[in-house]
Amino acid sequence: MILAGGFGTRLHTVVSDVPKPMAPVNDQPFLNYIFLYLKHFGITHVVLSTGYLSEKIADYYQNEYLGIKISYTKEEILLGTGGGIRLALEKCYTKDVLVLNGDSFFDVDLNVYYDQHTSFKSDCSLALRKVENAARYGTITLGDISTIKEFKEKDNLEVSGLINGGVYILNRELFLQKTEAIKSFSIEKDFYEKRINELHMFGFEHQGYFIDIGIPEDYKKAQDDFKGFKYR
């Protein structure tokens, strides 16, 4: 599942006519790079969770891209990250579902990550990335054996820390049981943080390339980083 329904408010000064995941990077939508990454790992079905300017996404990708089957859900009312995921899970059919943010790219080895998820018998797993300046993000503290101990609010302090990289593996049935349909909520605040002591929740640190194009300076950086992009 790719979350592609956000407004991209912080990016409106440079991109305003398409949803944020469709922002052009070297003359093609940013989402194209995510699809190339998923194709490398053998993903055959993607559910695109859409909202704002959803028709721009559907018109471009139709029902298939790079041999990957595409299904769509559309938020008729704003559902937040959690509500958008819940709606899209209705079109997913596997026990575990990989969830990606459509406005960031985190080069996680999905085979290694899934092995971690299954071997730890995790209810939900978060791929974490250490960054030198975590001021823009909330940070995560790990306890023993990769358990998530604490979510810390964004504090604008320019220090290093482990951040949520926006790549999740969720137990579909459990998530549906623990959440309500057609309700707006944040997966970070209203699911992960509230149920931290209830779920088998693990964070796994990965070292791969990471970028979030949600602000103009990183969107500009992506133009250079993705020149000549060929995933592995």
Side-chain angles (χ1 to χ4, degrees):
M1 179 195 310
I2 302 175
L3 302 180
F7 283 99
T9 306
R10 294 174 299 173
L11 208 58
H12 261 217
T13 54
V14 289
V15 177
S16 59
D17 58 340
V18 293
K20 186 165 51 169
M22 294 291 287
V25 174
N26 297 319
D27 301 318
Q28 61 178 311
F30 182 70
L31 268 178
N32 283 12
Y33 301 104
I34 297 177
F35 273 105
L36 281 165
Y37 162 74
L38 293 176
K39 180 178 175 65
H40 172 82
F41 286 102
I43 300 296
T44 58
H45 180 209
V46 164
V47 178
L48 282 171
S49 171
T50 70
Y52 175 65
L53 295 178
S54 61
E55 67 282 357
K56 300 268 188 176
I57 298 176
D59 288 348
Y60 185 92
Y61 291 105
Q62 302 289 314
N63 297 316
E64 183 179 308
Y65 182 71
L66 297 178
I68 298 173
K69 177 188 172 184
I70 300 174
S71 303
Y72 296 88
T73 56
K74 179 183 176 182
E75 296 178 32
E76 300 298 342
I77 59 171
L78 293 179
L79 294 174
T81 50
I85 287 171
R86 196 190 195 286
L87 180 65
L89 282 177
E90 295 175 7
K91 293 201 173 182
C92 300
Y93 306 104
T94 53
K95 176 188 172 185
D96 295 309
V97 178
L98 175 71
V99 181
L100 305 163
N101 284 334
D103 58 357
S104 61
F105 188 102
F106 188 9
D107 187 6
V108 174
D109 185 320
L110 295 180
N111 295 320
V112 171
Y113 185 31
Y114 188 60
D115 284 346
Q116 291 170 326
H117 175 80
T118 54
S119 64
F120 278 72
K121 296 181 172 60
S122 178
D123 292 329
C124 48
S125 297
L126 285 71
L128 310 180
R129 178 67 155 79
K130 188 171 184 179
V131 296
E132 293 307 311
N133 182 359
R136 278 172 55 193
Y137 311 93
T139 56
I140 291 173
T141 303
L142 294 180
D144 296 335
I145 59 164
S146 296
T147 54
I148 294 179
K149 182 179 178 181
E150 183 183 14
F151 291 88
K152 293 183 178 179
E153 296 281 347
K154 180 171 65 173
D155 55 18
N156 295 316
L157 295 177
E158 296 187 2
V159 294
S160 64
L162 280 176
I163 66 166
N164 172 3
V167 180
Y168 313 132
I169 301 176
L170 301 177
N171 180 300
R172 177 183 179 275
E173 184 176 347
L174 181 142
F175 192 86
L176 291 174
Q177 287 174 353
K178 298 285 186 181
T179 57
E180 296 179 44
I182 319 301
K183 181 178 178 181
S184 176
F185 67 98
S186 160
I187 191 172
E188 298 86 359
K189 298 288 181 188
D190 301 317
F191 187 76
Y192 292 146
E193 293 186 30
K194 285 187 177 179
R195 299 182 183 277
I196 192 170
N197 296 317
E198 175 187 343
L199 302 174
H200 295 288
M201 193 184 318
F202 295 89
F204 302 107
E205 183 179 354
H206 291 262
Q207 305 293 334
Y209 170 82
F210 173 81
I211 194 166
D212 174 353
I213 65 162
I215 60 172
E217 50 264 46
D218 277 359
Y219 174 61
K220 182 179 179 182
K221 182 177 184 294
Q223 307 296 328
D224 290 326
D225 289 356
F226 286 91
K227 277 181 181 173
F229 180 90
K230 292 180 181 177
Y231 191 75
R232 304 197 182 184

